[in-house]
Amino acid sequence: MLIAISLIAGAGFTLIGSLGLWRLPDLYMRLHGPSKATTLGLGCLLVASMLHFSRSGWSLQELLVTFFLLLTAPISAQLLARAGLARRVHSQAKAPDDGHAAPPAAADD
């Protein structure tokens, strides 16, 4: 049961990450799909593989793949973002509101 839940969760997260990569409009937004959701999805799939094929303990190969996946995905996303900044790729996202209202205009007395 745990293997089936992990496989379904992994496939769902991977699908959501892939859709994010396909649908989002610019480089910076597209980094979130593969670096967040797809990494979590592949992690779930690797956990399912470890549970299924581990008859005599944890599998070293799958543990190493999981470790390197979790280590390299954020680093590669950061390097892609830096490359976009270096090439002056503009984002289509609006700047967030900082939550501070403009000061009221001074009343002339």
Side-chain angles (χ1 to χ4, degrees):
M1 187 69 170
L2 186 60
I3 295 171
I5 291 171
S6 184
L7 282 173
I8 291 170
F13 282 120
T14 304
L15 177 67
I16 290 169
S18 300
L19 288 175
L21 180 65
W22 177 52
R23 295 283 305 193
L24 293 172
D26 67 0
L27 170 74
Y28 303 110
M29 290 183 202
R30 285 181 182 167
L31 284 174
H32 291 289
S35 65
K36 307 286 189 281
T38 307
T39 302
L40 184 59
L42 287 175
C44 289
L45 292 173
L46 286 168
V47 166
S49 176
M50 280 190 276
L51 292 173
H52 181 71
F53 291 111
S54 66
R55 303 207 194 287
S56 62
W58 293 98
S59 172
L60 179 63
Q61 290 88 2
E62 280 134 355
L63 283 175
L64 287 173
V65 168
T66 304
F67 172 72
F68 286 121
L69 173 72
L70 294 176
L71 180 73
T72 59
I75 294 170
S76 63
Q78 181 185 16
L79 290 174
L80 285 170
R82 283 187 175 197
L85 288 173
R87 294 185 54 97
R88 299 176 192 244
V89 175
H90 296 287
S91 176
Q92 295 179 4
K94 294 181 182 177
D97 184 21
D98 62 359
H100 298 291
D108 292 330
D109 290 321

